[in-house]
Amino acid sequence: MADEIQAEAPPVGEEIHLPEPSILPLLVAVAITIALVGVTTFWPLIPFGAIVALWCIVRWIRDTRRDIAELPLEH
């Protein structure tokens, strides 16, 4: 019974690829929130939030493309 409960380790196979941790998704959310708050309170916040959000999105895409380019060609 104990042998059935204890699972065997999976066979050695291909590596699992996980992206590196990033703060960029949080920064995009904060920048969009700042821009939306600017709509109702202080209008100069709109371009600030939009520029920061755009910059973070471009960096996020660039990092993701670099990550994908480093993967082996078999994938």
Side-chain angles (χ1 to χ4, degrees):
M1 181 93 178
D3 293 334
E4 293 174 11
I5 294 174
Q6 185 178 12
E8 292 183 29
V12 177
E14 65 183 78
E15 276 186 37
I16 297 174
H17 173 74
L18 295 174
E20 295 180 12
S22 176
I23 195 159
L24 291 172
L26 176 65
L27 292 177
V28 169
V30 169
I32 290 172
T33 302
I34 289 172
L36 290 174
V37 167
V39 169
T40 60
T41 59
F42 186 60
W43 67 268
L45 289 176
I46 299 170
F48 173 76
I51 290 169
V52 171
L54 185 62
W55 178 76
C56 289
I57 290 169
V58 167
R59 235 182 112 203
W60 191 3
I61 291 171
R62 188 179 306 149
D63 289 349
T64 303
R65 293 183 94 187
R66 185 184 64 237
D67 237 11
I68 291 173
E70 293 174 358
L71 289 174
L73 292 176
E74 295 87 39
H75 286 91

